[in-house]
Amino acid sequence: MQAINLSIILPVRNVEQEISGILRSVVRQTNGIEAEFILVDMGSEDGTPLECVQLIKNEKLHGFVIQNGDSDVAAALNTGIQKASGTYVSFIFARRLYMDFLKGYLETAERTDADFVFGSFSEEDVRLAERRSLSKAVQQQSGVQYMKEVIRGNLQIDLSAVLLKRSFLRECGLHFTEGCRYGYAQEFLYRCLLNAQNIVQSPTLLKRDTVFELKRGKEKPVGKEIFQAVEAIQRVELLLQTSFKQETELQALFSQELLPRTVMNSVDVMLREGSGYNAVRGVLRVLGYDSLLKTGRRTEKNLKRRIRVWNLIPWMYQAK
């Protein structure tokens, strides 16, 4: 048997009716690639596991189904990484599918021996990535530089469209924080960026597959669990403070932009779900997150305005 180039990890739950279209959407991208499909079931209450097994058999795919119990997405992804045998791994999510990116990513990864590959969301990004790939004079950016661009909103990296070298993940001990339903993806990506030696943007233009994406709404209100996203960012900030002390600009971006923005975005979620202003302010006080609403010269103007209104006249604040 040939070596596996790519392990595709897909967490699933209660998608018996939709999994056929989702999986076939991904399979079309792997023609000519030695790929394995790892479908991790998170405690489905319908026939999803059996349907997944049948699809793998009918499509003659190299792959298998893992029943991971009533687990969260982070735990399912960790299980997939542990069971993967491909040189590279990629994560596919039913609610956020991208078309025709895997071949382009794999070509970029194999040509550059990259630890971390991400894609392009605009034609301008494509041209920049092409210039970097063709010119030895254009130096690849470090993970710290990429993180700064992501925080400033100048760059987008989506967990649903990345390619990671499996040996890199294992050697660095990188995994998702289990029990964290919100913020686990951002935390994982930041940790990968901080640890990767060779990060490459592929000149592959990313487009969503709106035909096969799962379109169901959320099953229940999120509530104060949304503040797990703040905890996730704080864990990365602690890593910066202990192991990247010299990166003072990045630390300032965390404290003055990323953390207060994450707090305010979480506030918006609770308000949109119907929580009252006083109830949300009470949650912030109990968690200590009201102290994170600090601004500085690296804070974006609109975020400063949101924080000022929320702190002074919360009844006038309009959730985004």
Side-chain angles (χ1 to χ4, degrees):
M1 178 181 171
Q2 288 185 304
I4 301 297
N5 301 120
L6 176 62
S7 296
I8 298 169
I9 301 168
L10 171 58
V12 294
R13 178 190 282 124
N14 297 333
V15 288
E16 180 182 5
Q17 301 302 316
E18 299 92 349
I19 188 59
S20 175
I22 292 167
L23 189 57
R24 289 191 173 104
S25 170
V26 182
V27 169
R28 282 200 299 267
Q29 300 188 43
T30 62
N31 185 31
I33 298 174
E34 289 298 325
E36 68 174 357
F37 293 81
I38 304 174
L39 283 73
V40 187
D41 184 72
M42 302 177 291
S44 291
E45 297 173 346
D46 61 5
T48 296
L50 182 59
E51 183 68 17
C52 289
V53 170
Q54 197 63 45
L55 282 167
I56 288 174
K57 180 181 178 181
N58 292 345
E59 296 289 330
K60 297 181 173 59
L61 304 177
H62 178 73
F64 47 92
V65 179
I66 301 172
Q67 291 187 279
N68 212 47
D70 186 15
S71 59
D72 56 31
V73 177
L77 295 172
N78 285 337
T79 297
I81 292 171
Q82 291 169 6
K83 299 297 183 181
S85 58
T87 304
Y88 290 91
V89 299
S90 188
F91 310 110
I92 303 295
F93 299 91
R95 296 181 186 274
R96 199 169 182 85
L97 293 174
Y98 287 97
M99 298 186 293
D100 303 327
F101 74 95
L102 289 172
K103 280 189 176 181
Y105 274 33
L106 191 59
E107 186 278 329
T108 297
E110 292 178 337
R111 177 172 49 81
T112 62
D113 193 30
D115 297 321
F116 186 126
V117 176
F118 65 97
S120 303
F121 281 89
S122 68
E123 294 291 349
E124 183 179 352
D125 286 343
V126 170
R127 289 191 292 271
L128 178 59
E130 287 175 340
R131 286 200 300 271
R132 283 185 176 141
S133 66
L134 294 173
S135 175
K136 294 182 179 179
V138 180
Q139 187 177 6
Q140 293 291 344
Q141 293 191 96
S142 69
V144 167
Q145 291 171 310
Y146 279 125
M147 284 177 68
K148 292 175 184 177
E149 293 303 299
V150 170
I151 295 170
R152 290 172 177 141
N154 299 326
L155 179 69
Q156 184 177 351
I157 301 178
D158 192 335
L159 184 66
S160 304
V162 297
L163 198 70
L164 298 161
K165 188 182 289 185
R166 183 171 59 93
S167 59
F168 154 67
L169 295 177
R170 295 193 172 179
E171 288 166 8
C172 295
L174 293 165
H175 60 274
F176 294 89
T177 299
E178 298 186 15
C180 178
R181 293 176 59 202
Y182 306 98
Y184 67 88
Q186 194 175 21
E187 178 186 2
F188 178 78
L189 287 175
Y190 283 148
R191 288 182 179 275
C192 287
L193 287 171
L194 287 172
N195 282 277
Q197 296 298 309
N198 189 9
I199 304 166
V200 181
Q201 183 172 18
S202 173
T204 301
L205 185 61
L206 292 170
K207 294 182 179 180
R208 296 278 289 274
D209 189 343
T210 56
V211 174
F212 293 108
E213 277 186 345
L214 190 63
K215 298 177 178 63
R216 296 182 209 156
K218 59 186 179 182
E219 297 177 0
K220 59 181 181 180
V222 174
K224 64 182 180 181
E225 278 190 61
I226 191 62
F227 287 104
Q228 290 177 354
V230 180
E231 297 171 12
I233 298 303
Q234 286 182 310
R235 286 191 290 268
V236 181
E237 184 183 41
L238 180 60
L239 176 62
L240 288 174
Q241 292 170 347
T242 55
S243 301
F244 296 85
K245 294 180 181 179
Q246 73 281 9
E247 299 297 342
T248 54
E249 183 183 1
L250 182 57
Q251 291 182 41
L253 279 169
F254 262 68
S255 63
Q256 297 177 22
E257 176 66 29
L258 184 57
L259 270 170
R261 184 204 308 157
T262 306
V263 172
M264 290 310 301
N265 288 347
S266 301
V267 166
D268 287 353
V269 169
M270 289 196 69
L271 291 175
R272 287 197 302 269
E273 288 183 342
S275 295
Y277 296 105
N278 288 333
V280 177
R281 288 168 71 87
V283 171
L284 287 179
R285 283 195 299 271
V286 170
L287 296 175
Y289 291 161
D290 48 356
S291 65
L292 299 178
L293 295 177
K294 301 174 182 177
T295 61
R297 65 187 184 88
R298 290 178 176 82
T299 311
E300 187 264 333
K301 289 182 180 179
N302 186 55
L303 178 57
K304 283 183 178 180
R305 184 193 61 79
R306 290 169 66 195
I307 292 172
R308 185 167 56 252
V309 173
W310 173 253
N311 283 334
L312 297 177
I313 42 175
W315 58 90
M316 296 290 291
Y317 179 81
Q318 297 293 320
K320 289 182 63 178

Short mmCIF file of all heavy atoms in Angstrom, two decimals, residues 136-168:
data_model
loop_
_atom_site.label_atom_id
_atom_site.label_comp_id
_atom_site.label_asym_id
_atom_site.label_seq_id
_atom_site.Cartn_x
_atom_site.Cartn_y
_atom_site.Cartn_z
N LYS A 136 12.75 33.98 -4.33
CA LYS A 136 13.54 33.64 -3.16
C LYS A 136 13.87 34.89 -2.34
O LYS A 136 14.23 34.81 -1.18
CB LYS A 136 14.84 32.95 -3.57
CG LYS A 136 14.62 31.58 -4.20
CD LYS A 136 15.94 30.93 -4.55
CE LYS A 136 15.71 29.55 -5.16
NZ LYS A 136 16.99 28.90 -5.53
N ALA A 137 13.73 36.06 -3.00
CA ALA A 137 14.04 37.31 -2.31
C ALA A 137 12.94 37.71 -1.33
O ALA A 137 13.16 38.50 -0.42
CB ALA A 137 14.26 38.43 -3.32
N VAL A 138 11.73 37.17 -1.53
CA VAL A 138 10.61 37.49 -0.65
C VAL A 138 10.61 36.49 0.50
O VAL A 138 10.31 35.32 0.32
CB VAL A 138 9.26 37.45 -1.40
CG1 VAL A 138 8.12 37.79 -0.45
CG2 VAL A 138 9.29 38.40 -2.58
N GLN A 139 10.94 36.97 1.69
CA GLN A 139 11.07 36.10 2.84
C GLN A 139 9.70 35.73 3.41
O GLN A 139 8.81 36.57 3.51
CB GLN A 139 11.91 36.78 3.92
CG GLN A 139 12.25 35.89 5.10
CD GLN A 139 13.15 36.61 6.09
OE1 GLN A 139 13.41 37.79 5.94
NE2 GLN A 139 13.62 35.90 7.08
N GLN A 140 9.56 34.47 3.77
CA GLN A 140 8.32 34.04 4.40
C GLN A 140 8.21 34.69 5.78
O GLN A 140 9.20 34.86 6.48
CB GLN A 140 8.29 32.51 4.53
CG GLN A 140 8.20 31.77 3.21
CD GLN A 140 6.87 31.94 2.52
OE1 GLN A 140 5.89 32.36 3.13
NE2 GLN A 140 6.83 31.64 1.23
N GLN A 141 6.99 35.02 6.18
CA GLN A 141 6.77 35.65 7.47
C GLN A 141 6.80 34.61 8.59
O GLN A 141 6.53 33.43 8.37
CB GLN A 141 5.43 36.37 7.48
CG GLN A 141 5.36 37.56 6.56
CD GLN A 141 4.12 38.38 6.81
OE1 GLN A 141 4.13 39.37 7.52
NE2 GLN A 141 3.02 37.96 6.21
N SER A 142 7.10 35.08 9.78
CA SER A 142 7.07 34.21 10.95
C SER A 142 5.64 34.09 11.46
O SER A 142 4.75 34.86 11.10
CB SER A 142 7.95 34.79 12.06
OG SER A 142 7.37 35.99 12.56
N GLY A 143 5.43 33.11 12.34
CA GLY A 143 4.11 32.94 12.94
C GLY A 143 3.68 34.16 13.74
O GLY A 143 2.49 34.52 13.75
N VAL A 144 4.62 34.80 14.41
CA VAL A 144 4.31 36.01 15.18
C VAL A 144 3.80 37.11 14.24
O VAL A 144 2.81 37.80 14.53
CB VAL A 144 5.54 36.49 15.96
CG1 VAL A 144 5.33 37.91 16.50
CG2 VAL A 144 5.85 35.53 17.10
N GLN A 145 4.47 37.27 13.10
CA GLN A 145 4.02 38.28 12.13
C GLN A 145 2.62 37.97 11.61
O GLN A 145 1.77 38.88 11.47
CB GLN A 145 5.01 38.36 10.97
CG GLN A 145 6.36 38.96 11.35
CD GLN A 145 7.38 38.83 10.24
OE1 GLN A 145 7.57 37.75 9.67
NE2 GLN A 145 8.05 39.93 9.92
N TYR A 146 2.38 36.70 11.30
CA TYR A 146 1.04 36.32 10.83
C TYR A 146 -0.01 36.58 11.90
O TYR A 146 -1.13 37.03 11.60
CB TYR A 146 1.02 34.84 10.42
CG TYR A 146 1.59 34.58 9.05
CD1 TYR A 146 2.62 33.65 8.87
CD2 TYR A 146 1.08 35.23 7.93
CE1 TYR A 146 3.14 33.40 7.60
CE2 TYR A 146 1.59 34.97 6.66
CZ TYR A 146 2.62 34.07 6.50
OH TYR A 146 3.13 33.82 5.25
N MET A 147 0.31 36.28 13.17
CA MET A 147 -0.65 36.51 14.24
C MET A 147 -1.02 37.99 14.35
O MET A 147 -2.19 38.34 14.54
CB MET A 147 -0.08 36.01 15.57
CG MET A 147 -0.12 34.51 15.71
SD MET A 147 0.65 33.93 17.24
CE MET A 147 -0.50 34.54 18.45
N LYS A 148 -0.04 38.86 14.21
CA LYS A 148 -0.30 40.29 14.27
C LYS A 148 -1.28 40.69 13.17
O LYS A 148 -2.21 41.49 13.39
CB LYS A 148 1.00 41.09 14.13
CG LYS A 148 1.95 40.96 15.32
CD LYS A 148 3.26 41.68 15.04
CE LYS A 148 4.26 41.49 16.17
NZ LYS A 148 5.57 42.13 15.87
N GLU A 149 -1.06 40.15 11.96
CA GLU A 149 -1.94 40.49 10.84
C GLU A 149 -3.35 39.96 11.05
O GLU A 149 -4.33 40.61 10.69
CB GLU A 149 -1.35 39.95 9.54
CG GLU A 149 -0.06 40.62 9.11
CD GLU A 149 -0.23 42.11 8.94
OE1 GLU A 149 -1.05 42.51 8.09
OE2 GLU A 149 0.43 42.87 9.67
N VAL A 150 -3.47 38.78 11.65
CA VAL A 150 -4.78 38.21 11.94
C VAL A 150 -5.51 39.08 12.95
O VAL A 150 -6.70 39.42 12.78
CB VAL A 150 -4.65 36.76 12.45
CG1 VAL A 150 -5.99 36.25 12.98
CG2 VAL A 150 -4.15 35.84 11.34
N ILE A 151 -4.84 39.47 14.03
CA ILE A 151 -5.47 40.27 15.08
C ILE A 151 -5.90 41.62 14.53
O ILE A 151 -6.97 42.15 14.87
CB ILE A 151 -4.51 40.43 16.27
CG1 ILE A 151 -4.26 39.08 16.93
CG2 ILE A 151 -5.09 41.41 17.30
CD1 ILE A 151 -3.14 39.08 17.96
N ARG A 152 -5.08 42.21 13.66
CA ARG A 152 -5.42 43.52 13.09
C ARG A 152 -6.52 43.43 12.03
O ARG A 152 -6.99 44.44 11.53
CB ARG A 152 -4.17 44.13 12.47
CG ARG A 152 -3.13 44.58 13.50
CD ARG A 152 -1.85 44.99 12.83
NE ARG A 152 -0.87 45.48 13.79
CZ ARG A 152 0.44 45.23 13.72
NH1 ARG A 152 0.92 44.48 12.72
NH2 ARG A 152 1.27 45.70 14.63
N GLY A 153 -6.91 42.21 11.64
CA GLY A 153 -7.95 42.05 10.65
C GLY A 153 -7.47 42.11 9.22
O GLY A 153 -8.28 42.19 8.29
N ASN A 154 -6.16 42.05 9.02
CA ASN A 154 -5.59 42.12 7.67
C ASN A 154 -5.42 40.75 7.03
O ASN A 154 -5.08 40.66 5.84
CB ASN A 154 -4.23 42.81 7.71
CG ASN A 154 -4.32 44.23 8.22
OD1 ASN A 154 -5.31 44.91 7.98
ND2 ASN A 154 -3.31 44.68 8.95
N LEU A 155 -5.63 39.69 7.78
CA LEU A 155 -5.41 38.33 7.29
C LEU A 155 -6.42 37.41 7.94
O LEU A 155 -6.75 37.56 9.13
CB LEU A 155 -3.98 37.88 7.63
CG LEU A 155 -3.58 36.46 7.21
CD1 LEU A 155 -3.47 36.38 5.68
CD2 LEU A 155 -2.24 36.07 7.84
N GLN A 156 -6.92 36.46 7.17
CA GLN A 156 -7.87 35.48 7.69
C GLN A 156 -7.28 34.08 7.56
O GLN A 156 -6.80 33.70 6.49
CB GLN A 156 -9.20 35.57 6.92
CG GLN A 156 -10.28 34.65 7.47
CD GLN A 156 -11.60 34.81 6.72
OE1 GLN A 156 -11.76 35.73 5.91
NE2 GLN A 156 -12.54 33.94 6.98
N ILE A 157 -7.31 33.34 8.65
CA ILE A 157 -6.91 31.93 8.63
C ILE A 157 -8.03 31.14 9.28
O ILE A 157 -8.41 31.41 10.42
CB ILE A 157 -5.58 31.68 9.39
CG1 ILE A 157 -4.45 32.51 8.77
CG2 ILE A 157 -5.22 30.20 9.36
CD1 ILE A 157 -3.11 32.36 9.49
N ASP A 158 -8.57 30.18 8.55
CA ASP A 158 -9.75 29.43 8.99
C ASP A 158 -9.34 27.98 9.25
O ASP A 158 -8.75 27.33 8.38
CB ASP A 158 -10.83 29.50 7.91
CG ASP A 158 -12.18 28.99 8.39
OD1 ASP A 158 -12.22 28.19 9.33
OD2 ASP A 158 -13.20 29.40 7.80
N LEU A 159 -9.67 27.47 10.44
CA LEU A 159 -9.35 26.08 10.77
C LEU A 159 -9.96 25.11 9.77
O LEU A 159 -9.44 24.01 9.57
CB LEU A 159 -9.84 25.76 12.19
CG LEU A 159 -9.49 24.37 12.72
CD1 LEU A 159 -7.98 24.23 12.92
CD2 LEU A 159 -10.23 24.07 14.02
N SER A 160 -11.04 25.51 9.13
CA SER A 160 -11.72 24.66 8.14
C SER A 160 -10.95 24.55 6.84
O SER A 160 -11.36 23.81 5.95
CB SER A 160 -13.11 25.22 7.83
OG SER A 160 -13.87 25.36 8.99
N ALA A 161 -9.85 25.31 6.71
CA ALA A 161 -9.08 25.29 5.46
C ALA A 161 -7.60 25.50 5.78
O ALA A 161 -6.99 26.48 5.36
CB ALA A 161 -9.58 26.35 4.49
N VAL A 162 -7.04 24.57 6.55
CA VAL A 162 -5.60 24.57 6.80
C VAL A 162 -5.06 23.16 6.55
O VAL A 162 -5.81 22.18 6.54
CB VAL A 162 -5.24 25.02 8.24
CG1 VAL A 162 -5.68 26.44 8.49
CG2 VAL A 162 -5.82 24.06 9.27
N LEU A 163 -3.75 23.09 6.38
CA LEU A 163 -3.06 21.82 6.21
C LEU A 163 -1.87 21.85 7.16
O LEU A 163 -1.10 22.81 7.17
CB LEU A 163 -2.58 21.65 4.77
CG LEU A 163 -2.23 20.23 4.30
CD1 LEU A 163 -3.48 19.38 4.18
CD2 LEU A 163 -1.51 20.29 2.95
N LEU A 164 -1.73 20.80 7.98
CA LEU A 164 -0.68 20.77 8.99
C LEU A 164 0.11 19.47 8.89
O LEU A 164 -0.46 18.39 8.69
CB LEU A 164 -1.30 20.87 10.39
CG LEU A 164 -2.06 22.17 10.67
CD1 LEU A 164 -3.01 21.98 11.85
CD2 LEU A 164 -1.09 23.30 10.95
N LYS A 165 1.42 19.59 9.01
CA LYS A 165 2.25 18.40 8.99
C LYS A 165 2.03 17.62 10.30
O LYS A 165 2.13 18.17 11.40
CB LYS A 165 3.73 18.77 8.85
CG LYS A 165 4.65 17.58 8.63
CD LYS A 165 6.11 17.99 8.54
CE LYS A 165 6.40 18.72 7.24
NZ LYS A 165 7.84 19.03 7.10
N ARG A 166 1.71 16.35 10.16
CA ARG A 166 1.38 15.55 11.35
C ARG A 166 2.56 15.43 12.30
O ARG A 166 2.40 15.51 13.52
CB ARG A 166 0.92 14.15 10.91
CG ARG A 166 0.48 13.24 12.06
CD ARG A 166 -0.16 11.97 11.54
NE ARG A 166 0.73 11.22 10.70
CZ ARG A 166 1.54 10.24 11.14
NH1 ARG A 166 1.54 9.91 12.42
NH2 ARG A 166 2.31 9.57 10.30
N SER A 167 3.76 15.28 11.77
CA SER A 167 4.94 15.16 12.63
C SER A 167 5.17 16.45 13.42
O SER A 167 5.61 16.42 14.57
CB SER A 167 6.18 14.83 11.81
OG SER A 167 6.44 15.83 10.84
N PHE A 168 4.85 17.60 12.82
CA PHE A 168 4.97 18.88 13.52
C PHE A 168 4.03 18.93 14.71
O PHE A 168 4.42 19.34 15.82
CB PHE A 168 4.68 20.02 12.53
CG PHE A 168 4.18 21.28 13.15
CD1 PHE A 168 5.00 22.05 13.97
CD2 PHE A 168 2.88 21.72 12.90
CE1 PHE A 168 4.53 23.23 14.53
CE2 PHE A 168 2.41 22.90 13.46
CZ PHE A 168 3.23 23.65 14.29
#
